[in-house]
Amino acid sequence: MKKRGAIGVGFNWIFAMIVGAIILFIALYFASKVIGVGETQAGTESAARLVSVFDPLETGLALEKSLKVDLKRKTKIEFSCDSSSNRPFGRQRLRVAEKGFGSDYGEWGYEVSLNNKYVFSDKIIEGENFYIFSQAFFMGFKVSDINIMGSEDYCFYQAPNRIKRDIQNLGVDKFRFTESLSDSDLKNCSGRLVCFESENNKCDMIVKGECNDLRVCEDSYDYGRVLKNGGQSILYYADSLVYGAIFSGEDIYECNVIRIMNRLSELSDIYRGKADLLQGKGCRLNIGDKIRIMQGFVDGEISSNNFDSSDLINVHDLAREADLMNKGARGECEVY
C-alpha cells in the first residue's frame, strides 16, 4: 500500500507538470503573438511618421533643405522601389523595425507607400539618428525634389567648390571635408570616403566629372559618374543627382532615375503646350521642338526598357539646348 501511494503521488505531480507546461506554452505562444502584433503596429506607425517628414522638405524656390530625425530607439528602415507600378510615376515603399528590450529587432511593420517622393538611400539603413536632405533637380525647368536619407558619416576628399558649398549649406554634422588622405587627417574625417577624381585605394567611391564643354555645363561636375565597389558599380548622374548617386544603393538609384524621367516627360507635355501657345501669340520659339526631342528620347528608351542612368548625359545636353533658347527668349516669351 505504501508503494501504491508513492506511485499515486508521483503520477499526480507528473500530470500537474505536464498540464502546467502546456498552459505555460500556450501563454508564451499568445504572448509572443501579442508582442509581434505590437511590434508590427509600432513599426507601421513609425513608417507613417517618417513618410510625413518628407513633406516639409519640398524645396520650392530654395535649392536645398535638411533636417535631423532623432528616434527613441535603434531603428532599421528598408526601402524598395518599383518604376513600373502606379504609372507613370512609379512608387517607393518603406518599412520599419525597431529594437525592443533584447538585442534583436522586432517584427517589420507594414510597408508604407511614397507615391510622389524620390528617396535616395541604401536599401537598408540603421540607427537612432538620421539625416534627410533635399535638392532640387533641374533639366532646364525644375523636374522634382530628390531626397537623401542616411545615418552614416561621410568624408569628402577634394570636393569641388560648388559641391562643397552645397553640402556645407545643409548643416549636417556627419559630413566632413579633407584635402589630404594621410592617416592623421582621416582621423578627423571618418566614415565613407568619397573621393573626387582621385583613385586612391582608401576611397570607398570615386566621383568623376565628365562635362568639359562650358557651353553646356557650368563646370565639369554638371554630369559624370560615381564608381563604387572598386569600379564594379557605376552610377551616372546629371545635376543634383550626383548626391543620389553618392548616397544611394544601385537598385534604388536606377529605379528612381526612371521614375524622375517619367515625371520629366509629363512636365514636357505641359511646357510644349505653353510653347505652342506663345508661338501663336507671336513669340518666335523653337523651344517646343527641342523639348519634344528630349521627351521623345526619354519615352523611347523607357518604353523599350533600355533607359538607365547612362542616358542622363544625353538628356542633360538636350535640356541644356532648350534652356539656352528659353533664356534667349526673355520676357513674356519665356516658357518657364
Side-chain angles (χ1 to χ4, degrees):
M1 293 296 291
K2 291 181 179 179
K3 290 182 179 179
R4 289 179 182 175
I7 293 172
V9 173
F11 175 77
N12 290 338
W13 275 105
I14 292 171
F15 180 77
M17 290 172 65
I18 292 173
V19 173
I22 292 172
I23 294 172
L24 181 61
F25 172 79
I26 294 172
L28 290 173
Y29 175 79
F30 282 103
S32 66
K33 287 294 183 182
V34 170
I35 292 171
V37 170
E39 291 171 343
T40 300
Q41 182 178 349
T44 305
E45 291 174 353
S46 295
R49 286 194 295 269
L50 279 173
V51 168
S52 68
V53 164
F54 290 103
D55 289 332
L57 285 169
E58 296 293 330
T59 59
L61 297 177
L63 293 180
E64 66 275 316
K65 287 185 178 180
S66 67
L67 58 84
K68 185 177 180 181
V69 179
D70 296 318
L71 303 178
K72 295 179 180 179
R73 62 182 68 181
K74 193 168 183 180
T75 301
K76 181 164 59 175
I77 305 170
E78 181 181 62
F79 288 93
S80 61
C81 181
D82 181 1
S83 60
S84 60
S85 64
N86 187 38
R87 289 183 178 275
F89 301 118
R91 177 183 286 115
Q92 265 191 287
R93 296 182 177 91
L94 67 85
R95 62 176 184 167
V96 169
E98 298 177 338
K99 272 198 173 180
F101 298 106
S103 58
D104 296 329
Y105 283 100
E107 297 288 332
W108 285 106
Y110 294 113
E111 287 186 322
V112 177
S113 293
L114 290 154
N115 293 334
N116 61 343
K117 298 290 187 293
Y118 307 92
V119 182
F120 292 82
S121 172
D122 285 329
K123 183 176 178 61
I124 295 179
I125 55 177
E126 299 180 64
E128 292 183 21
N129 305 309
F130 298 89
Y131 49 80
I132 306 175
F133 67 88
S134 64
Q135 292 277 339
F137 173 68
F138 289 87
M139 278 289 150
F141 51 83
K142 181 180 175 180
V143 180
S144 66
D145 291 306
I146 66 170
N147 299 289
I148 312 297
M149 185 171 186
S151 60
E152 293 190 53
D153 293 348
Y154 277 79
C155 176
F156 298 90
Y157 170 59
Q158 291 188 340
N161 290 334
R162 177 164 61 94
I163 291 178
K164 186 175 183 179
R165 182 181 64 249
D166 286 349
I167 295 173
Q168 286 178 327
N169 287 343
L170 295 170
V172 177
D173 58 9
K174 292 196 172 187
F175 301 157
R176 296 285 185 273
F177 299 88
T178 183
E179 298 300 320
S180 169
L181 293 180
S182 67
D183 291 340
S184 59
D185 286 321
L186 290 180
K187 285 182 180 178
N188 299 318
C189 199
S190 59
R192 293 187 184 182
L193 182 58
V194 182
C195 300
F196 289 80
E197 302 302 335
S198 173
E199 298 188 14
N200 191 291
N201 58 14
K202 294 181 180 179
C203 302
D204 294 303
M205 66 189 79
I206 302 165
V207 183
K208 289 183 173 291
E210 297 189 336
C211 185
N212 297 313
D213 188 350
L214 295 181
R215 291 174 300 176
V216 296
C217 293
E218 293 181 24
D219 60 42
S220 63
Y221 288 96
D222 272 23
Y223 61 73
R225 295 175 292 161
V226 177
L227 284 66
K228 298 184 175 184
N229 303 319
Q232 295 182 19
S233 176
I234 302 176
L235 305 181
Y236 294 84
Y237 72 86
D239 194 60
S240 59
L241 280 172
V242 62
Y243 304 110
I246 289 172
F247 290 91
S248 182
E250 182 174 4
D251 290 344
I252 298 293
Y253 181 77
E254 293 289 352
C255 176
N256 269 332
V257 166
I258 293 175
R259 293 179 65 225
I260 289 174
M261 289 298 102
N262 277 326
R263 182 182 178 91
L264 178 143
S265 178
E266 294 296 311
L267 290 171
S268 293
D269 271 339
I270 296 172
Y271 288 118
R272 280 173 49 197
K274 185 177 179 180
D276 293 342
L277 181 64
L278 290 173
Q279 199 163 13
K281 292 183 176 181
C283 294
R284 297 181 178 181
L285 296 172
N286 292 322
I287 184 173
D289 293 333
K290 289 291 183 182
I291 294 175
R292 186 177 291 107
I293 293 171
M294 177 180 67
Q295 182 184 24
F297 172 77
V298 169
D299 289 347
E301 292 296 293
I302 290 178
S303 63
S304 60
N305 294 319
N306 289 327
F307 195 98
D308 62 32
S309 62
S310 64
D311 291 308
L312 285 170
I313 295 173
N314 289 329
V315 178
H316 173 277
D317 288 346
L318 291 169
R320 183 65 173 170
E321 291 176 13
D323 192 45
L324 289 173
M325 292 181 65
N326 186 63
K327 289 177 179 176
R330 300 184 180 280
E332 295 181 356
C333 289
E334 287 185 338
V335 176
Y336 52 83

